Amino acid sequence: MSLTFPLTLEFKFSLFTELRVTDAGGQLVAVVKEKTFSVRDEVRVFRDEHKQVQTHRMKARGFMAGALDWKARRLIERTDGSPVGALQAQGMRTLWGAAYDLLGPDGEGRFTIRDDHPWLGVIEGLLDAIPFVGDFIAMGFDYLVNPTYTVTDTAGQAAYRVHKKRSVFARRFTVEELQPRGGQDDELVLLGLIQLILRERERG
């Protein structure tokens, strides 16, 4: 998989969670569908708009892993069963802000992902707690203030950055490559960031 950055990840208006990924030229890269009403997160990735050709699947490991978001490991594999890697939440740190390890196929650490401004989520959570008007205030806050996430490699260098674009319903994200990597990590990074966006959108 070789990608042309920046990528755009946009949620479709739907009763179900669906995500569409396009590259810098507007070409479709993937369509993502999340299984609903499940205690264990399950995500399927397709090559085509009509979701006829599945390429990958992702599952949270362990019973009730979807509910225990703060410590779940989400495995990423191709449809033939070969592993791509995993997104591992960094335990209690994830309760404060996004903090994940992106692991390779053998479980080795390849990248870390952090929320650049975790305090924004705390403020939004406090606004949500205000009776009656809190939801409306939080909606305006979500529109005006949008989070970014930085993906750092094992050398401590910022490799990718994820931006949530201004939107009332948190519908669109972009991913930019900060340093050329020759496409060697594109598959792992794209699928790991899909998981990140699904999880963080649920957190608000």
Side-chain angles (χ1 to χ4, degrees):
M1 177 183 288
S2 182
L3 302 173
T4 305
F5 291 88
L7 305 177
T8 299
L9 295 83
E10 185 169 7
F11 286 90
K12 298 173 65 177
F13 283 116
S14 172
L15 294 175
F16 306 101
T17 302
E18 291 193 29
L19 184 66
R20 192 172 184 271
V21 183
T22 53
D23 66 11
Q27 297 298 308
L28 182 68
V29 174
V31 175
V32 180
K33 184 176 178 61
E34 185 173 36
K35 183 177 180 180
T36 55
F37 310 116
S38 174
V39 296
R40 184 172 63 183
D41 295 332
E42 294 186 34
V43 178
R44 292 178 290 171
V45 182
F46 301 88
R47 179 182 300 156
D48 60 311
E49 196 78 65
H50 299 291
K51 300 185 287 294
Q52 298 295 314
V53 182
Q54 185 176 348
T55 59
H56 299 83
R57 54 178 168 259
M58 298 180 267
K59 286 186 178 182
R61 187 179 68 180
F63 181 67
M64 293 292 288
L68 300 175
D69 186 72
W70 58 275
K71 65 177 182 180
R73 174 178 291 194
R74 293 175 170 82
L75 305 178
I76 305 167
E77 63 181 19
R78 303 177 188 93
T79 50
D80 64 5
S82 58
V84 176
L87 184 72
Q88 173 72 63
Q90 292 184 355
M92 297 296 290
R93 287 185 179 183
T94 310
L95 298 178
W96 160 251
Y100 298 90
D101 293 312
L102 190 52
L103 312 177
D106 296 320
E108 76 280 10
R110 300 289 293 277
F111 298 94
T112 58
I113 306 171
R114 294 286 179 84
D115 190 338
D116 292 337
H117 305 289
W119 54 270
L120 293 176
V122 176
I123 294 174
E124 188 170 10
L126 293 174
L127 292 174
D128 277 334
I130 301 174
F132 304 112
V133 298
D135 288 341
F136 294 101
I137 298 174
M139 185 178 293
F141 184 87
D142 188 55
Y143 178 78
L144 294 171
V145 181
N146 296 288
T148 62
Y149 309 90
T150 298
V151 183
T152 305
D153 63 21
T154 54
Q157 299 296 310
Y160 303 88
R161 184 159 289 128
V162 182
H163 302 263
K164 184 177 98 52
K165 307 302 287 185
R166 184 167 290 181
S167 170
V168 174
F169 299 107
R171 290 187 59 237
R172 183 178 296 176
F173 296 77
T174 60
V175 179
E176 61 176 321
E177 187 179 38
L178 301 181
Q179 52 177 295
R181 305 188 67 85
Q184 61 180 345
D185 299 304
D186 284 0
E187 181 182 24
L188 174 63
V189 168
L190 172 61
L191 297 168
L193 292 182
I194 285 172
Q195 281 282 17
L196 168 77
I197 289 169
L198 289 172
R199 303 286 71 76
E200 292 303 306
R201 184 175 184 258
E202 290 175 357
R203 288 158 57 99

